[in-house]
Amino acid sequence: MSVKPSNLPPIQEMPPSGGFRKVDVARIFPTRGPKGWQLWAGSSLVIAYGFYKVGQTNQQKNQQKYLERKARYAIAPVLQAEADRVYAERELVNLKKEQDIMKGVQGWNKSSGKAYYSDRFMPRAIDVFDTQSK
């Protein structure tokens, strides 16, 4: 149930004479943590240091790759000589097999011409997993 309004003018609350007392904001909201510019400067330094470390790591990796490449280039002739030796041994075995297979064929000569139509050396295709030629 509602109360019947009176015909009196409304009463409005007013501030006390002299105003309200001042609120001590520093006491209520103390400063917590660093200021904004300090956060920005600190994070900029951390990011710059991170980029520096990334650059140093990249230089070390490039130096390591260079040394590995240099070592590979140094041992490449030795590895090629080893591969040539293995190829020569297999080629001798294959030629002996070919002579044994073709010994009854008339007109066959192992030096009876070139197998290819060029003067370039073309190694015979050798299956790496061929165990019968050993």
Side-chain angles (χ1 to χ4, degrees):
M1 308 255 324
S2 65
V3 177
K4 186 176 181 182
S6 67
N7 292 336
L8 297 173
I11 299 174
Q12 185 174 359
E13 291 185 12
M14 297 298 290
S17 62
F20 291 107
R21 65 184 175 103
K22 299 288 184 190
V23 178
D24 188 11
V25 179
R27 186 179 58 84
I28 297 173
F29 302 113
T31 56
R32 294 180 8 176
K35 296 180 172 81
W37 69 269
Q38 292 170 334
L39 289 173
W40 188 86
S43 61
S44 296
L45 288 174
V46 168
I47 290 170
Y49 179 72
F51 275 117
Y52 169 76
K53 290 304 279 183
V54 167
Q56 293 297 312
T57 303
N58 287 343
Q59 286 180 353
Q60 288 175 354
K61 284 184 180 181
N62 288 340
Q63 181 69 18
Q64 183 66 29
K65 285 180 185 178
Y66 171 75
L67 292 175
E68 288 175 5
R69 216 172 26 248
K70 196 172 174 183
R72 282 193 192 116
Y73 291 161
I75 65 171
V78 175
L79 296 176
Q80 184 63 48
E82 179 68 18
D84 291 345
R85 186 188 64 77
V86 169
Y87 173 78
E89 287 177 2
R90 286 191 179 192
E91 188 65 19
L92 285 175
V93 170
N94 285 339
L95 288 175
K96 286 180 185 176
K97 275 180 153 181
E98 187 178 8
Q99 283 179 345
D100 288 343
I101 292 171
M102 300 298 284
K103 65 182 170 188
V105 176
Q106 288 287 336
W108 178 81
N109 187 3
K110 79 174 186 177
S111 62
S112 63
K114 294 191 264 183
Y116 301 105
Y117 296 110
S118 74
D119 293 331
R120 286 183 64 189
F121 172 71
M122 305 271 296
R124 189 183 298 218
I126 297 176
D127 185 8
V128 179
F129 300 108
D130 185 17
T131 56
Q132 296 176 358
S133 65
K134 288 187 177 182

